[in-house]
Amino acid sequence: MKGNNSFDAENSLKNPIIDEKAVSLDNSYILKMCGNSSGKVAVALSDSTCEIYSFDNSSLKKLDKLTDPIKGICDIRFSRQNDSTLYIGSSDGGIRMWDTRSGNSCSTTYEEDPQTRESVKPLISFDISCNDRVLCGGTEVVQNDAFMLFWDIRSKSLLGGYWNSHTDDIMQVQFSSQQPNKVVSGGVDGLINVFDISEQTEDDALQYSLSTECAVDIINWISDDVVSCITQNIDVQFWNVDSADQINTFTREDIAKAAQNINVEDCYIVDVYNTKENIPFLVTGSYADERKGLKLLQVTDDGLVLKSNLDSNKQIVRCSWYDRESELLVSGGEMGILSLWKSFGLNTNAKSKTDSSLLMGMKKLKVHKNKPY
């Protein structure tokens, strides 16, 4: 079925905001965000603190705050199987575990043994396997190498690492939500690497190395075999990581045009998500002072279609979280405001461009590397 190419203002909610909270009174930014299926969202602030909120169809409610400051927070993640456990990564090379049932301080730190490492490897990103067994962190370049480090969550021990697959900072690592041994990484070197970490060496673990031809910024799993990639050129690519095929790409110009009334230079992308009907959509915004509203662009077989205007947005958005079951969107940004939105208008019958039957042939790049630790 062909998607509707025009935005239906009469059928769109003019003000789909449900609730919003000012998370800080000292002009702190909301830098990072994560959520879980239990209706919780955690935010990392520029003042080096973290807060946890609950959300539902009517409100946002503050639940807890981690008062011990953690400088250089790079990312945060809830445990995949325990909604009381939050992991916080930082540029000092450590990932801290916060058990929200036992107070507001971190109980465990995962890091390299300071007696054996030659230098600190500052983390930029990290993620947790779907079975809650392995942590993986991606680092800045250290002495000409960028590292992927792995920890056993239960024993707290460093399992090892890869350092030959990226030549520049590793901006994102993402485990599959279905396969605990499958992880993808994206770097400033323009590569998306696909690994099976059950293999014994980095050489065997690396399944594909996909060239985006631009520095990678954000990666998301869209389905069991498809990932989205936002590049630092502000375009979006979709890749099948089982076949190394690029499915589709949308340039910054494509996105600005679909968003309507946004200059290309002002256009930015917050993130890419997938509805429970498996229809990907983009959360986009504008840097223009007079037009900070967010827009939701759905991926259809006709391209990008404007599906919702979130005109009540007051800030440049740094991060967001989408809950597929409740179909609610949470956003946060540079004014320290946490906003809860209805994702109105997304669930049509438009066919997704990530349908495997629409794959375009691309060259498969099999890269061989040396073994890790």
Side-chain angles (χ1 to χ4, degrees):
M1 178 180 293
K2 295 291 183 182
N4 184 2
N5 277 322
S6 63
F7 177 65
D8 189 345
E10 293 182 357
N11 292 325
S12 172
L13 294 181
K14 293 181 179 179
N15 187 21
I17 193 165
I18 298 172
D19 196 9
E20 62 182 21
K21 302 289 184 186
V23 301
S24 174
L25 299 177
D26 60 359
N27 298 319
S28 295
Y29 288 11
I30 299 175
L31 297 176
K32 296 291 182 179
M33 183 183 299
C34 68
N36 61 27
S37 59
S38 299
K40 290 182 179 179
V41 62
V43 294
L45 308 180
S46 58
D47 65 1
S48 302
T49 62
C50 293
E51 297 182 355
I52 296 179
Y53 291 78
S54 65
F55 65 90
D56 55 31
N57 285 305
S58 61
S59 66
L60 282 162
K61 295 180 182 178
K62 185 175 178 178
L63 300 178
D64 211 341
K65 180 175 183 177
L66 177 64
T67 55
D68 290 349
I70 301 174
K71 293 184 178 180
I73 296 175
C74 68
D75 214 341
I76 53 176
R77 290 283 189 276
F78 276 109
S79 163
R80 300 274 192 156
Q81 300 181 1
N82 185 344
D83 67 2
S84 297
T85 301
L86 182 70
Y87 295 91
I88 306 167
S90 61
S91 58
D92 64 4
I95 300 173
R96 296 163 175 82
M97 184 183 77
W98 175 19
D99 186 344
T100 60
R101 298 166 299 184
S102 60
N104 60 5
S105 61
C106 294
S107 57
T108 302
T109 301
Y110 300 87
E111 59 185 350
E112 288 187 273
D113 185 344
Q115 296 181 348
T116 59
R117 67 183 181 188
E118 296 180 3
S119 60
V120 172
K121 299 179 179 62
L123 292 178
I124 300 176
S125 58
F126 78 94
D127 199 16
I128 306 158
S129 61
C130 61
N131 60 1
D132 257 16
R133 294 282 299 275
V134 178
L135 283 170
C136 175
T139 78
E140 297 178 8
V141 171
V142 178
Q143 297 179 355
N144 299 318
D145 291 313
F147 294 79
M148 292 175 64
L149 304 175
F150 298 90
W151 289 269
D152 184 325
I153 289 179
R154 296 171 301 173
S155 69
K156 307 173 189 177
S157 61
L158 182 69
L159 297 172
Y162 303 156
W163 61 74
N164 287 316
S165 298
H166 284 286
T167 59
D168 211 329
D169 296 350
I170 299 173
M171 300 302 295
Q172 187 104 57
V173 292
Q174 285 280 339
F175 277 99
S176 165
S177 63
Q178 303 295 325
Q179 303 175 65
N181 294 323
K182 193 168 187 176
V183 62
V184 294
S185 61
V188 175
D189 55 10
L191 297 179
I192 299 174
N193 289 326
V194 185
F195 297 94
D196 177 357
I197 64 171
S198 65
E199 299 291 347
Q200 295 299 306
T201 69
E202 182 175 359
D203 181 41
D204 294 331
L206 184 61
Q207 307 297 297
Y208 293 114
S209 191
L210 313 174
S211 177
T212 70
E213 299 183 359
C214 182
V216 174
D217 194 8
I218 298 174
I219 296 175
N220 273 317
W221 287 90
I222 299 301
S223 65
D224 291 347
D225 57 359
V226 174
V227 298
S228 65
C229 166
I230 302 174
T231 74
Q232 293 183 14
N233 276 349
I234 320 297
D235 61 19
V236 175
Q237 302 176 10
F238 292 92
W239 290 84
N240 185 305
V241 295
D242 283 348
S243 63
D245 293 310
Q246 187 180 36
I247 303 168
N248 209 339
T249 184
F250 298 102
T251 66
R252 192 177 193 179
E253 289 77 11
D254 295 331
I255 295 163
K257 181 179 179 180
Q260 300 178 12
N261 299 320
I262 291 182
N263 293 326
V264 173
E265 295 77 11
D266 294 330
C267 178
Y268 67 89
I269 308 169
V270 181
D271 221 324
V272 181
Y273 298 106
N274 198 20
T275 70
K276 57 186 177 182
E277 287 81 8
N278 292 318
I279 301 173
F281 70 97
L282 283 58
V283 183
T284 69
S286 171
Y287 291 119
D289 291 339
E290 71 278 9
R291 211 169 36 243
K292 286 193 170 68
L294 294 177
K295 296 174 186 285
L296 307 186
L297 307 180
Q298 183 171 299
V299 181
T300 76
D301 58 357
D302 286 333
L304 294 175
V305 175
L306 177 59
K307 282 296 178 178
S308 193
N309 267 321
L310 310 186
D311 287 336
S312 298
N313 180 62
K314 301 178 177 69
Q315 61 186 343
I316 294 173
V317 172
R318 289 290 196 93
C319 52
S320 61
W321 170 261
Y322 176 70
D323 183 70
R324 293 182 67 185
E325 293 306 313
S326 66
E327 300 177 346
L328 297 175
L329 178 73
V330 186
S331 64
E334 295 188 359
M335 291 181 65
I337 298 173
L338 192 65
S339 302
L340 177 65
W341 308 90
K342 299 173 185 176
S343 57
F344 180 80
L346 286 169
N347 298 317
T348 70
N349 292 321
K351 189 176 182 181
S352 168
K353 274 290 191 181
T354 57
D355 189 310
S356 60
S357 66
L358 300 175
L359 291 176
M360 297 183 299
M362 297 288 288
K363 182 179 180 181
K364 299 180 181 180
L365 304 176
K366 185 75 174 180
V367 180
H368 301 281
K369 299 292 182 181
N370 299 325
K371 65 182 182 179
Y373 286 96

